[in-house]
Amino acid sequence: MTSNTLLDAARRTLVAGAAALVLGAVAVPSFVAPTFAADGPASVADLAQGVLGAVVNISTSQTVKGTEGPGAVPMPQLPEGSPFQDFFDDFFKNRGGEKDGGSQKVQSLGSGFVIDAEQGIVVTNNHVIADADDIEVNFSDGVTLKATLVGTDTKTDVAVLKVDPKGHKLTAVKFGDSTKMRVGDWVMAVGNPFGLGGTVTVGIVSARNRDINSGPYDDFIQTDAAINRGNSGGPLFNSAGEVIGMNTAIISPSGGSIGIGFSIPSQLASGVVEQLRQYGETRRGWLGVRIQPVTDDIAESLGMATAKGALVAGVIKGGPVDNGTIQAGDVIIKFDGKDIHEMRDLPRVVAESPVGKAVDVLIVRKGVEQTVKVTLGRLEDGEKLASGENGNTDQDKGADKAPAVSTASVLGMTVGELNDETRKKFSIAGDVSGVVITDVAKDSAAAERGIQPGEVITEIAQESVATPKDVMERIGALKEQGRKNALLMLASKTGELRFVTIRMD
C-alpha cells in the first residue's frame, strides 16, 4: 500500500469518526418537540356529537318604550356583511312606537347548557336574560320550552333557569375541573353566534387568571376559540366533553371574533350555580375588611422580603373580625391554606368559602407572621352593614388628652393637632383621631402620593400617633433604623382608611 493510499484511508477514518461524533451529539436532544398531524388536531366530531344536544339557545323578549321615547332600545350594530342585517332592518322598520314613549317588544339571543336533565336545570349568563319578561329555551332538535328564572348573580354574570323536564327529553353535560387546564390545551366552544344555533368552534386555552375588570371575582380563561355575539352563556368544553368554562365576553372593535374570548372558569361558576339552585341567591363568605395592594414600598416599610398578600386598610364595624382578630395594617398572605399572592386573590377565595366556616388566616403583623382563627360571616349581609358605616377601625382615642402643640413640617406636609377648630375647618368626623394634615407642599413626596389637606395621620409604621410631636418622633426613629420609606395610615374626613408610603430621603 502506497503512502498516498494510507493517507487517504486515514482521512476517511477521521471523517467517519467526526461524523459519528456529530451524529452522537444530536442523537439525544435536550428537548423533544411534540408532533402534530399536518391538518391540525384530531377530529372533534365525536366530541361535538356527544354534547350538542345539551347546548341550547336562549331567546328572551322584553317590553320597552318606543325608539323615540326615553329609554329607547336602538337597533343592534351588526358586523359588516352580517347575514342578519336584512332581518334586523325588517324587524326594526316601522317600530318607532309612539313619540311619547309607546311600548314595543324587543328580543335578544344567547346560549346556555343543560346541567341536570332530571330537574330541567339550564345555565346561562345573567346579561343574556337580564330584565326579560319571557325566556324561552330552544333545543337543537327544534323543540322550544318556556323557562323560569331560578336565580342570578350579577357579580359573576351567572344565571340559572328551569324548564319542565317532562316537556322534552333532555341531555345534560357536567362541570369539569378548570384548575387542571393548562395554557395550550385544546378546548371547544358551542353556542348560538348571530342566531346560528349549534355552532362549534375549536381553539386552545390562551391564558388563565385574566382580570378584565368586569367584576370583583375576575379569573377568566382566555381562549382563541371563535366566540361571537350570541355565544354568551354557552359552554367551553375540554377534550373529555366536560364544561370547564362559560363563554362570557370578547375583546373586539367590530363585534366579531378576533381570537380573544373569555370564559368564567367552572371552578367559580359551579359553586355559584349550586348556591342559586339551593337558595335562589348567593351565600358567600365574608371577612369584613377593606384591603389594598401591597406595593414594593409598603413591603419594605413593613419589613417584608417580597411584595405579596393583601394589606388590610380597615375593619368594618360589626364584621367577623371587629373583635381585633385582624387589624388595620395586617397583611393577609394565606387564607384557609390558600396562598394570597396579590390583593385580588383574597375576595375570590373568601367568597368561595362557606358562611360560618372557621378558617385559619396567616397574617404579617409588624413584621412577624402569625396565624389567627376567623369565623366567616355572609357577604350579602355584610354589604348592607358596610354601606351604613364609615369604615373606621378602633383607633387610639387619646388625642384629646395630649398637650396642645404647634404645627410641624415633615415629609412635605404641615401637620397639626386635631381639635374642634381643625375638625370644623376640614369637616372631619368626630370619631376620627390622629394628626391632621393642614397643608401639602407642591412637588413634595407627599403630593406625589396624592395626600391632601384634611386627611388625618392615624398611624406611622403601625404605631398610633396623636400629636405633631409623635409624628416627628416616629419619622426620626424610622430614619435612625435606616428605613427608606415611611408607611402612613391615613383617614379621610369620614374615616375611610388607606395606606401610603412616603420616601424619607
Side-chain angles (χ1 to χ4, degrees), residues 72-91:
V73 176
M75 177 176 173
Q77 297 298 310
L78 299 178
E80 184 177 356
S82 170
F84 291 92
Q85 186 66 55
D86 292 339
F87 168 78
F88 279 106
D89 286 343
D90 292 339
F91 180 81

Side-chain angles (χ1 to χ4, degrees), residues 328-349:
D330 291 345
V331 177
I332 299 174
I333 58 176
K334 183 173 289 190
F335 181 89
D336 199 19
K338 302 178 181 67
D339 291 327
I340 306 300
H341 299 288
E342 53 185 309
M343 182 191 73
R344 74 184 185 96
D345 294 336
L346 184 63
R348 185 174 62 251
V349 172

Side-chain angles (χ1 to χ4, degrees), residues 216-232:
Y217 310 121
D218 279 14
D219 189 29
F220 288 98
I221 297 172
Q222 181 182 328
T223 179
D224 66 350
I227 298 174
N228 293 282
R229 292 178 178 176
N231 272 112
S232 290

